[in-house]
Amino acid sequence: MSELDDGEEAFAEATLTQAIENQIEADDPPAARATFNKLTLVGYEREEILQLMALVLAHEIDAMLRADRAFDTAWYEQALRALPELPEDQA
């Protein structure tokens, strides 16, 4: 995959952040809202929380595309609940 230019990177980041906001609002998956609330309670700012959560979503989307498989909801929820610790190859 080619590297993204600044405009493409900004669009990808905004799209991932919007997806996370939609998950929190819809409470689907429930781990999204739970993770947001947990990180808020321990002092993380909204933008930082959204960024961390977007990194987890991006990690799973990348893994899904590389392996040509379905989205792994169980892994995704587990990774969200593990925040602020990022998945191994994201740290």
Side-chain angles (χ1 to χ4, degrees), residues 2-43:
S2 65
E3 291 191 28
L4 300 176
D5 67 28
D6 289 343
E8 291 170 329
E9 186 173 325
F11 177 77
E13 186 176 329
T15 301
L16 288 167
T17 300
Q18 184 61 55
I20 295 298
E21 289 177 333
N22 292 344
Q23 290 177 359
I24 293 166
E25 185 176 322
D27 198 22
D28 185 25
R33 182 174 291 178
T35 299
F36 182 83
N37 291 341
K38 175 188 86 170
L39 294 175
T40 299
L41 286 172
V42 296

mmCIF file of all heavy atoms in Angstrom, residues 2-43:
data_model
loop_
_atom_site.group_PDB
_atom_site.id
_atom_site.type_symbol
_atom_site.label_atom_id
_atom_site.label_comp_id
_atom_site.label_asym_id
_atom_site.label_seq_id
_atom_site.Cartn_x
_atom_site.Cartn_y
_atom_site.Cartn_z
ATOM 1 N N SER A 2 0.559 2.236 -0.778
ATOM 2 C CA SER A 2 1.371 3.439 -0.841
ATOM 3 C C SER A 2 1.113 4.315 0.386
ATOM 4 O O SER A 2 0.073 4.239 1.029
ATOM 5 C CB SER A 2 1.057 4.221 -2.120
ATOM 6 O OG SER A 2 -0.277 4.677 -2.090
ATOM 7 N N GLU A 3 2.083 5.165 0.686
ATOM 8 C CA GLU A 3 1.914 6.077 1.810
ATOM 9 C C GLU A 3 0.891 7.141 1.437
ATOM 10 O O GLU A 3 0.768 7.537 0.284
ATOM 11 C CB GLU A 3 3.250 6.713 2.167
ATOM 12 C CG GLU A 3 4.217 5.712 2.774
ATOM 13 C CD GLU A 3 5.428 6.394 3.369
ATOM 14 O OE1 GLU A 3 5.307 7.555 3.789
ATOM 15 O OE2 GLU A 3 6.475 5.746 3.404
ATOM 16 N N LEU A 4 0.181 7.609 2.438
ATOM 17 C CA LEU A 4 -0.836 8.626 2.215
ATOM 18 C C LEU A 4 -0.205 10.007 2.216
ATOM 19 O O LEU A 4 0.708 10.275 2.989
ATOM 20 C CB LEU A 4 -1.888 8.558 3.336
ATOM 21 C CG LEU A 4 -2.651 7.251 3.498
ATOM 22 C CD1 LEU A 4 -3.573 7.354 4.708
ATOM 23 C CD2 LEU A 4 -3.436 6.924 2.260
ATOM 24 N N ASP A 5 -0.723 10.904 1.363
ATOM 25 C CA ASP A 5 -0.273 12.286 1.454
ATOM 26 C C ASP A 5 -1.033 12.953 2.601
ATOM 27 O O ASP A 5 -1.918 12.350 3.215
ATOM 28 C CB ASP A 5 -0.437 13.023 0.116
ATOM 29 C CG ASP A 5 -1.889 13.230 -0.305
ATOM 30 O OD1 ASP A 5 -2.780 13.321 0.558
ATOM 31 O OD2 ASP A 5 -2.128 13.329 -1.521
ATOM 32 N N ASP A 6 -0.704 14.186 2.914
ATOM 33 C CA ASP A 6 -1.293 14.859 4.073
ATOM 34 C C ASP A 6 -2.817 14.949 3.986
ATOM 35 O O ASP A 6 -3.510 14.747 4.982
ATOM 36 C CB ASP A 6 -0.701 16.257 4.250
ATOM 37 C CG ASP A 6 0.750 16.217 4.733
ATOM 38 O OD1 ASP A 6 1.184 15.162 5.232
ATOM 39 O OD2 ASP A 6 1.444 17.239 4.592
ATOM 40 N N GLY A 7 -3.332 15.234 2.811
ATOM 41 C CA GLY A 7 -4.777 15.343 2.641
ATOM 42 C C GLY A 7 -5.479 14.013 2.835
ATOM 43 O O GLY A 7 -6.524 13.938 3.483
ATOM 44 N N GLU A 8 -4.896 12.955 2.294
ATOM 45 C CA GLU A 8 -5.471 11.609 2.445
ATOM 46 C C GLU A 8 -5.390 11.147 3.891
ATOM 47 O O GLU A 8 -6.321 10.539 4.412
ATOM 48 C CB GLU A 8 -4.755 10.614 1.541
ATOM 49 C CG GLU A 8 -5.007 10.838 0.064
ATOM 50 C CD GLU A 8 -4.091 9.995 -0.813
ATOM 51 O OE1 GLU A 8 -2.950 9.711 -0.415
ATOM 52 O OE2 GLU A 8 -4.536 9.620 -1.908
ATOM 53 N N GLU A 9 -4.279 11.461 4.543
ATOM 54 C CA GLU A 9 -4.105 11.073 5.941
ATOM 55 C C GLU A 9 -5.127 11.795 6.825
ATOM 56 O O GLU A 9 -5.730 11.185 7.706
ATOM 57 C CB GLU A 9 -2.688 11.398 6.408
ATOM 58 C CG GLU A 9 -2.395 10.878 7.802
ATOM 59 C CD GLU A 9 -0.944 11.054 8.193
ATOM 60 O OE1 GLU A 9 -0.059 10.939 7.335
ATOM 61 O OE2 GLU A 9 -0.722 11.313 9.384
ATOM 62 N N ALA A 10 -5.339 13.071 6.582
ATOM 63 C CA ALA A 10 -6.318 13.841 7.350
ATOM 64 C C ALA A 10 -7.726 13.284 7.131
ATOM 65 O O ALA A 10 -8.517 13.166 8.075
ATOM 66 C CB ALA A 10 -6.263 15.318 6.967
ATOM 67 N N PHE A 11 -8.037 12.917 5.887
ATOM 68 C CA PHE A 11 -9.347 12.348 5.586
ATOM 69 C C PHE A 11 -9.534 11.009 6.290
ATOM 70 O O PHE A 11 -10.576 10.747 6.881
ATOM 71 C CB PHE A 11 -9.522 12.173 4.070
ATOM 72 C CG PHE A 11 -10.815 11.517 3.696
ATOM 73 C CD1 PHE A 11 -12.005 12.225 3.722
ATOM 74 C CD2 PHE A 11 -10.848 10.174 3.330
ATOM 75 C CE1 PHE A 11 -13.207 11.612 3.392
ATOM 76 C CE2 PHE A 11 -12.046 9.558 3.001
ATOM 77 C CZ PHE A 11 -13.230 10.280 3.027
ATOM 78 N N ALA A 12 -8.499 10.157 6.241
ATOM 79 C CA ALA A 12 -8.579 8.846 6.898
ATOM 80 C C ALA A 12 -8.763 9.018 8.401
ATOM 81 O O ALA A 12 -9.594 8.336 9.016
ATOM 82 C CB ALA A 12 -7.327 8.028 6.597
ATOM 83 N N GLU A 13 -8.014 9.926 8.999
ATOM 84 C CA GLU A 13 -8.127 10.172 10.442
ATOM 85 C C GLU A 13 -9.513 10.694 10.798
ATOM 86 O O GLU A 13 -10.132 10.228 11.772
ATOM 87 C CB GLU A 13 -7.058 11.169 10.885
ATOM 88 C CG GLU A 13 -7.017 11.373 12.381
ATOM 89 C CD GLU A 13 -5.880 12.289 12.816
ATOM 90 O OE1 GLU A 13 -4.824 12.310 12.161
ATOM 91 O OE2 GLU A 13 -6.075 12.978 13.829
ATOM 92 N N ALA A 14 -10.027 11.619 10.012
ATOM 93 C CA ALA A 14 -11.366 12.164 10.272
ATOM 94 C C ALA A 14 -12.440 11.094 10.119
ATOM 95 O O ALA A 14 -13.393 11.041 10.897
ATOM 96 C CB ALA A 14 -11.648 13.336 9.323
ATOM 97 N N THR A 15 -12.280 10.219 9.138
ATOM 98 C CA THR A 15 -13.246 9.145 8.903
ATOM 99 C C THR A 15 -13.235 8.147 10.060
ATOM 100 O O THR A 15 -14.289 7.728 10.546
ATOM 101 C CB THR A 15 -12.942 8.439 7.568
ATOM 102 O OG1 THR A 15 -13.000 9.411 6.518
ATOM 103 C CG2 THR A 15 -13.940 7.332 7.284
ATOM 104 N N LEU A 16 -12.048 7.771 10.523
ATOM 105 C CA LEU A 16 -11.941 6.849 11.657
ATOM 106 C C LEU A 16 -12.518 7.475 12.923
ATOM 107 O O LEU A 16 -13.245 6.821 13.675
ATOM 108 C CB LEU A 16 -10.482 6.449 11.891
ATOM 109 C CG LEU A 16 -9.884 5.506 10.860
ATOM 110 C CD1 LEU A 16 -8.370 5.444 11.023
ATOM 111 C CD2 LEU A 16 -10.498 4.121 10.958
ATOM 112 N N THR A 17 -12.220 8.758 13.147
ATOM 113 C CA THR A 17 -12.750 9.450 14.330
ATOM 114 C C THR A 17 -14.266 9.509 14.277
ATOM 115 O O THR A 17 -14.937 9.286 15.293
ATOM 116 C CB THR A 17 -12.147 10.866 14.441
ATOM 117 O OG1 THR A 17 -10.725 10.750 14.556
ATOM 118 C CG2 THR A 17 -12.682 11.610 15.642
ATOM 119 N N GLN A 18 -14.829 9.782 13.101
ATOM 120 C CA GLN A 18 -16.284 9.823 12.966
ATOM 121 C C GLN A 18 -16.887 8.450 13.233
ATOM 122 O O GLN A 18 -17.937 8.333 13.882
ATOM 123 C CB GLN A 18 -16.691 10.313 11.571
ATOM 124 C CG GLN A 18 -18.190 10.464 11.393
ATOM 125 C CD GLN A 18 -18.785 11.487 12.349
ATOM 126 O OE1 GLN A 18 -18.335 12.625 12.381
ATOM 127 N NE2 GLN A 18 -19.787 11.105 13.116
ATOM 128 N N ALA A 19 -16.232 7.398 12.782
ATOM 129 C CA ALA A 19 -16.714 6.041 13.039
ATOM 130 C C ALA A 19 -16.732 5.761 14.536
ATOM 131 O O ALA A 19 -17.698 5.178 15.060
ATOM 132 C CB ALA A 19 -15.845 5.016 12.309
ATOM 133 N N ILE A 20 -15.691 6.189 15.243
ATOM 134 C CA ILE A 20 -15.635 5.991 16.692
ATOM 135 C C ILE A 20 -16.745 6.782 17.375
ATOM 136 O O ILE A 20 -17.442 6.266 18.267
ATOM 137 C CB ILE A 20 -14.250 6.399 17.248
ATOM 138 C CG1 ILE A 20 -13.151 5.481 16.711
ATOM 139 C CG2 ILE A 20 -14.264 6.433 18.780
ATOM 140 C CD1 ILE A 20 -13.293 4.021 17.086
ATOM 141 N N GLU A 21 -16.939 8.023 16.973
ATOM 142 C CA GLU A 21 -18.017 8.832 17.563
ATOM 143 C C GLU A 21 -19.377 8.183 17.328
ATOM 144 O O GLU A 21 -20.233 8.176 18.222
ATOM 145 C CB GLU A 21 -17.973 10.259 17.015
ATOM 146 C CG GLU A 21 -16.790 11.037 17.550
ATOM 147 C CD GLU A 21 -16.658 12.433 16.971
ATOM 148 O OE1 GLU A 21 -17.124 12.672 15.828
ATOM 149 O OE2 GLU A 21 -16.084 13.288 17.656
ATOM 150 N N ASN A 22 -19.579 7.617 16.143
ATOM 151 C CA ASN A 22 -20.830 6.921 15.848
ATOM 152 C C ASN A 22 -21.007 5.697 16.741
ATOM 153 O O ASN A 22 -22.108 5.421 17.222
ATOM 154 C CB ASN A 22 -20.889 6.495 14.378
ATOM 155 C CG ASN A 22 -20.994 7.663 13.432
ATOM 156 O OD1 ASN A 22 -21.307 8.782 13.823
ATOM 157 N ND2 ASN A 22 -20.698 7.427 12.165
ATOM 158 N N GLN A 23 -19.926 4.950 16.967
ATOM 159 C CA GLN A 23 -19.998 3.771 17.833
ATOM 160 C C GLN A 23 -20.346 4.170 19.265
ATOM 161 O O GLN A 23 -21.164 3.509 19.916
ATOM 162 C CB GLN A 23 -18.662 3.018 17.815
ATOM 163 C CG GLN A 23 -18.373 2.325 16.516
ATOM 164 C CD GLN A 23 -17.013 1.647 16.520
ATOM 165 O OE1 GLN A 23 -16.275 1.704 17.496
ATOM 166 N NE2 GLN A 23 -16.677 1.011 15.407
ATOM 167 N N ILE A 24 -19.739 5.248 19.749
ATOM 168 C CA ILE A 24 -20.013 5.712 21.115
ATOM 169 C C ILE A 24 -21.476 6.143 21.232
ATOM 170 O O ILE A 24 -22.168 5.750 22.175
ATOM 171 C CB ILE A 24 -19.065 6.868 21.504
ATOM 172 C CG1 ILE A 24 -17.630 6.347 21.606
ATOM 173 C CG2 ILE A 24 -19.513 7.526 22.806
ATOM 174 C CD1 ILE A 24 -16.573 7.441 21.659
ATOM 175 N N GLU A 25 -21.935 6.928 20.275
ATOM 176 C CA GLU A 25 -23.315 7.424 20.298
ATOM 177 C C GLU A 25 -24.326 6.287 20.228
ATOM 178 O O GLU A 25 -25.333 6.279 20.936
ATOM 179 C CB GLU A 25 -23.538 8.404 19.139
ATOM 180 C CG GLU A 25 -24.908 9.048 19.159
ATOM 181 C CD GLU A 25 -25.061 10.072 18.054
ATOM 182 O OE1 GLU A 25 -24.088 10.787 17.763
ATOM 183 O OE2 GLU A 25 -26.171 10.153 17.487
ATOM 184 N N ALA A 26 -24.050 5.302 19.383
ATOM 185 C CA ALA A 26 -24.974 4.178 19.195
ATOM 186 C C ALA A 26 -24.814 3.108 20.276
ATOM 187 O O ALA A 26 -25.631 2.199 20.363
ATOM 188 C CB ALA A 26 -24.765 3.554 17.822
ATOM 189 N N ASP A 27 -23.744 3.223 21.075
ATOM 190 C CA ASP A 27 -23.411 2.205 22.079
ATOM 191 C C ASP A 27 -23.273 0.837 21.408
ATOM 192 O O ASP A 27 -23.716 -0.180 21.931
ATOM 193 C CB ASP A 27 -24.455 2.175 23.199
ATOM 194 C CG ASP A 27 -23.954 1.487 24.460
ATOM 195 O OD1 ASP A 27 -22.728 1.406 24.647
ATOM 196 O OD2 ASP A 27 -24.790 1.025 25.250
ATOM 197 N N ASP A 28 -22.642 0.849 20.221
ATOM 198 C CA ASP A 28 -22.459 -0.373 19.446
ATOM 199 C C ASP A 28 -21.100 -0.343 18.755
ATOM 200 O O ASP A 28 -20.912 0.435 17.821
ATOM 201 C CB ASP A 28 -23.564 -0.511 18.407
ATOM 202 C CG ASP A 28 -23.489 -1.818 17.648
ATOM 203 O OD1 ASP A 28 -22.931 -2.791 18.196
ATOM 204 O OD2 ASP A 28 -23.987 -1.861 16.513
ATOM 205 N N PRO A 29 -20.159 -1.094 19.210
ATOM 206 C CA PRO A 29 -20.255 -2.087 20.274
ATOM 207 C C PRO A 29 -20.247 -1.412 21.652
ATOM 208 O O PRO A 29 -19.716 -0.306 21.788
ATOM 209 C CB PRO A 29 -18.997 -2.942 20.091
ATOM 210 C CG PRO A 29 -17.996 -1.993 19.513
ATOM 211 C CD PRO A 29 -18.804 -1.072 18.615
ATOM 212 N N PRO A 30 -20.801 -2.071 22.650
ATOM 213 C CA PRO A 30 -20.845 -1.489 23.989
ATOM 214 C C PRO A 30 -19.458 -1.124 24.535
ATOM 215 O O PRO A 30 -19.326 -0.190 25.322
ATOM 216 C CB PRO A 30 -21.494 -2.582 24.837
ATOM 217 C CG PRO A 30 -22.292 -3.383 23.863
ATOM 218 C CD PRO A 30 -21.516 -3.337 22.573
ATOM 219 N N ALA A 31 -18.431 -1.826 24.096
ATOM 220 C CA ALA A 31 -17.071 -1.533 24.554
ATOM 221 C C ALA A 31 -16.626 -0.129 24.146
ATOM 222 O O ALA A 31 -15.761 0.457 24.807
ATOM 223 C CB ALA A 31 -16.098 -2.561 24.011
ATOM 224 N N ALA A 32 -17.197 0.418 23.093
ATOM 225 C CA ALA A 32 -16.806 1.758 22.652
ATOM 226 C C ALA A 32 -17.175 2.791 23.712
ATOM 227 O O ALA A 32 -16.332 3.578 24.151
ATOM 228 C CB ALA A 32 -17.451 2.097 21.310
ATOM 229 N N ARG A 33 -18.417 2.803 24.137
ATOM 230 C CA ARG A 33 -18.840 3.766 25.159
ATOM 231 C C ARG A 33 -18.151 3.477 26.491
ATOM 232 O O ARG A 33 -17.722 4.390 27.202
ATOM 233 C CB ARG A 33 -20.347 3.776 25.345
ATOM 234 C CG ARG A 33 -20.773 4.827 26.377
ATOM 235 C CD ARG A 33 -22.243 4.976 26.492
ATOM 236 N NE ARG A 33 -22.731 5.585 25.249
ATOM 237 C CZ ARG A 33 -23.996 5.816 25.009
ATOM 238 N NH1 ARG A 33 -24.916 5.485 25.877
ATOM 239 N NH2 ARG A 33 -24.358 6.370 23.881
ATOM 240 N N ALA A 34 -18.038 2.204 26.849
ATOM 241 C CA ALA A 34 -17.392 1.834 28.114
ATOM 242 C C ALA A 34 -15.941 2.324 28.141
ATOM 243 O O ALA A 34 -15.477 2.860 29.150
ATOM 244 C CB ALA A 34 -17.458 0.326 28.318
ATOM 245 N N THR A 35 -15.232 2.150 27.036
ATOM 246 C CA THR A 35 -13.840 2.585 26.954
ATOM 247 C C THR A 35 -13.751 4.096 27.021
ATOM 248 O O THR A 35 -12.905 4.640 27.736
ATOM 249 C CB THR A 35 -13.198 2.060 25.659
ATOM 250 O OG1 THR A 35 -13.234 0.634 25.678
ATOM 251 C CG2 THR A 35 -11.769 2.542 25.509
ATOM 252 N N PHE A 36 -14.617 4.785 26.308
ATOM 253 C CA PHE A 36 -14.626 6.247 26.337
ATOM 254 C C PHE A 36 -14.849 6.739 27.764
ATOM 255 O O PHE A 36 -14.126 7.608 28.254
ATOM 256 C CB PHE A 36 -15.708 6.803 25.400
ATOM 257 C CG PHE A 36 -15.721 8.296 25.359
ATOM 258 C CD1 PHE A 36 -14.851 8.987 24.527
ATOM 259 C CD2 PHE A 36 -16.580 9.027 26.166
ATOM 260 C CE1 PHE A 36 -14.838 10.375 24.498
ATOM 261 C CE2 PHE A 36 -16.578 10.413 26.148
ATOM 262 C CZ PHE A 36 -15.699 11.084 25.311
ATOM 263 N N ASN A 37 -15.829 6.155 28.448
ATOM 264 C CA ASN A 37 -16.132 6.564 29.823
ATOM 265 C C ASN A 37 -14.955 6.273 30.756
ATOM 266 O O ASN A 37 -14.605 7.104 31.597
ATOM 267 C CB ASN A 37 -17.398 5.878 30.329
ATOM 268 C CG ASN A 37 -18.641 6.388 29.628
ATOM 269 O OD1 ASN A 37 -18.652 7.463 29.030
ATOM 270 N ND2 ASN A 37 -19.705 5.604 29.673
ATOM 271 N N LYS A 38 -14.352 5.103 30.626
ATOM 272 C CA LYS A 38 -13.219 4.724 31.478
ATOM 273 C C LYS A 38 -12.066 5.698 31.317
ATOM 274 O O LYS A 38 -11.513 6.186 32.303
ATOM 275 C CB LYS A 38 -12.758 3.299 31.145
ATOM 276 C CG LYS A 38 -11.501 2.860 31.904
ATOM 277 C CD LYS A 38 -10.965 1.528 31.426
ATOM 278 C CE LYS A 38 -10.038 1.719 30.249
ATOM 279 N NZ LYS A 38 -9.311 0.489 29.878
ATOM 280 N N LEU A 39 -11.719 5.993 30.064
ATOM 281 C CA LEU A 39 -10.584 6.883 29.821
ATOM 282 C C LEU A 39 -10.884 8.316 30.257
ATOM 283 O O LEU A 39 -9.988 9.023 30.719
ATOM 284 C CB LEU A 39 -10.158 6.813 28.353
ATOM 285 C CG LEU A 39 -9.577 5.460 27.924
ATOM 286 C CD1 LEU A 39 -9.299 5.451 26.427
ATOM 287 C CD2 LEU A 39 -8.331 5.114 28.714
ATOM 288 N N THR A 40 -12.128 8.724 30.136
ATOM 289 C CA THR A 40 -12.532 10.044 30.625
ATOM 290 C C THR A 40 -12.352 10.114 32.136
ATOM 291 O O THR A 40 -11.809 11.090 32.670
ATOM 292 C CB THR A 40 -13.995 10.352 30.251
ATOM 293 O OG1 THR A 40 -14.113 10.344 28.824
ATOM 294 C CG2 THR A 40 -14.432 11.714 30.770
ATOM 295 N N LEU A 41 -12.784 9.074 32.829
ATOM 296 C CA LEU A 41 -12.690 9.045 34.290
ATOM 297 C C LEU A 41 -11.251 9.091 34.791
ATOM 298 O O LEU A 41 -10.997 9.610 35.881
ATOM 299 C CB LEU A 41 -13.386 7.801 34.846
ATOM 300 C CG LEU A 41 -14.910 7.844 34.822
ATOM 301 C CD1 LEU A 41 -15.487 6.480 35.207
ATOM 302 C CD2 LEU A 41 -15.431 8.928 35.759
ATOM 303 N N VAL A 42 -10.322 8.543 34.036
ATOM 304 C CA VAL A 42 -8.932 8.554 34.484
ATOM 305 C C VAL A 42 -8.149 9.758 33.958
ATOM 306 O O VAL A 42 -6.937 9.832 34.129
ATOM 307 C CB VAL A 42 -8.187 7.232 34.165
ATOM 308 C CG1 VAL A 42 -8.815 6.073 34.920
ATOM 309 C CG2 VAL A 42 -8.126 6.958 32.672
ATOM 310 N N GLY A 43 -8.852 10.698 33.318
ATOM 311 C CA GLY A 43 -8.246 11.976 32.986
ATOM 312 C C GLY A 43 -7.828 12.234 31.560
ATOM 313 O O GLY A 43 -7.225 13.264 31.263
#
